[in-house]
Amino acid sequence: MDGFKARTDKKRELIIQSALMLFTHLSPSKVSIREIAAKAQVSVVTIYNYFGSKEGLMLEVVRSVLAAQLQLAEEITQSNDPADKKISRLIFTKTELLSQFHPDFISFIMNDSSMKKLIEEEFLTRTYELIKDFIHQAKSEGAFSKELPDEMIMKVIELYRKDISSENSILFSSQEELKSHETILKILLYGIAGYKNL
């Protein structure tokens, strides 16, 4: 990579990260291109040259967050770890995804066709493929029952993950339960009846 492109890419990433910090705490309507430029220490013109508009920059901010989450999911599911360790990392590794944004930003995403298309095509589809491959591997290792439908396993994993990442988590309702990863994982894998070596 030549020096000019490296500097350009670095500046572009700095703008995205600066915008991300602002959109975490403020509604998009309260964030101006001028504020983002000041935080990134670039000119307003530079932002328009790179992204075309504030909406274009918002799209790239979302793409950046989704790419980071997808990379993490790929690292976990494609690692050489056994299935039980992979599922533990998938559930307990903190994944901010889009929940870190201001509620108005989330509302904008959910009502913008370009954003919804981006999330569907660049994140959800690929994540679905990764998790499905992981489930097939887990079944072949005997970690998951071959009798259970893949879709149901995916829903149960997502159920646990969503609860744990929620501010009102049922599983982590006290500080003591923050240490209960192993117990939660055993319940997920073996149910409340527990594992029986028949």
Side-chain angles (χ1 to χ4, degrees):
M1 182 185 295
D2 62 76
F4 175 77
K5 188 174 188 315
R7 288 193 301 273
T8 300
D9 288 349
K10 185 176 181 180
K11 188 178 292 186
R12 188 175 187 279
E13 183 59 27
L14 178 61
I15 294 168
I16 289 173
Q17 292 306 313
S18 297
L20 173 57
M21 284 187 270
L22 290 169
F23 290 135
T24 298
H25 305 291
L26 299 170
S27 167
S29 63
K30 302 292 185 184
V31 179
S32 68
I33 289 290
R34 190 171 298 281
E35 287 175 290
I36 298 169
K39 192 167 188 63
Q41 297 184 329
V42 300
S43 70
V44 170
V45 173
T46 297
I47 293 181
Y48 281 112
N49 286 341
Y50 283 176
F51 304 100
S53 64
K54 186 165 82 171
E55 288 72 21
L57 174 55
M58 290 169 69
L59 190 69
E60 290 308 310
V61 167
V62 172
R63 179 177 276 120
S64 176
V65 172
L66 295 181
Q69 297 304 310
L70 186 55
Q71 182 179 354
L72 178 59
E74 287 178 339
E75 288 173 2
I76 292 172
T77 57
Q78 295 176 3
S79 72
N80 293 322
D81 291 335
D84 59 345
K85 187 169 182 179
K86 285 183 182 180
I87 192 171
S88 178
R89 290 184 65 199
L90 283 170
I91 293 173
F92 297 114
T93 298
K94 188 171 179 60
T95 53
E96 297 288 354
L97 199 55
L98 299 179
S99 60
Q100 61 186 299
F101 292 112
H102 187 278
D104 288 351
F105 193 102
I106 302 297
S107 178
F108 174 81
I109 291 171
M110 294 300 103
N111 291 290
D112 183 86
S113 58
S114 297
M115 293 283 189
K116 287 161 70 173
K117 184 178 179 182
L118 170 69
I119 293 170
E120 177 65 33
E121 294 182 356
E122 296 190 23
F123 181 73
L124 294 180
T125 300
R126 180 59 183 144
T127 301
Y128 178 88
E129 292 169 355
L130 286 171
I131 301 299
K132 195 160 188 177
D133 288 346
F134 158 67
I135 289 172
H136 289 163
Q137 180 194 353
K139 284 183 174 182
S140 69
E141 292 179 12
F144 293 165
S145 170
K146 293 181 179 179
E147 297 175 6
L148 296 176
D150 292 354
E151 292 289 340
M152 185 55 65
I153 294 174
M154 292 178 81
K155 287 178 181 177
V156 171
I157 292 173
E158 184 63 9
L159 191 68
Y160 275 71
R161 195 197 64 75
K162 278 188 175 178
D163 174 81
I164 289 167
S165 63
S166 167
E167 291 181 5
N168 302 311
S169 170
I170 296 171
L171 293 170
F172 285 167
S173 58
S174 71
Q175 285 298 311
E176 187 59 34
E177 286 166 350
L178 290 172
K179 305 171 186 176
S180 303
H181 288 195
E182 186 176 347
T183 302
I184 292 170
L185 185 61
K186 283 182 178 177
I187 292 172
L188 170 59
L189 292 175
Y190 307 125
I192 59 175
Y195 175 74
K196 293 181 176 61
N197 187 11
L198 302 176

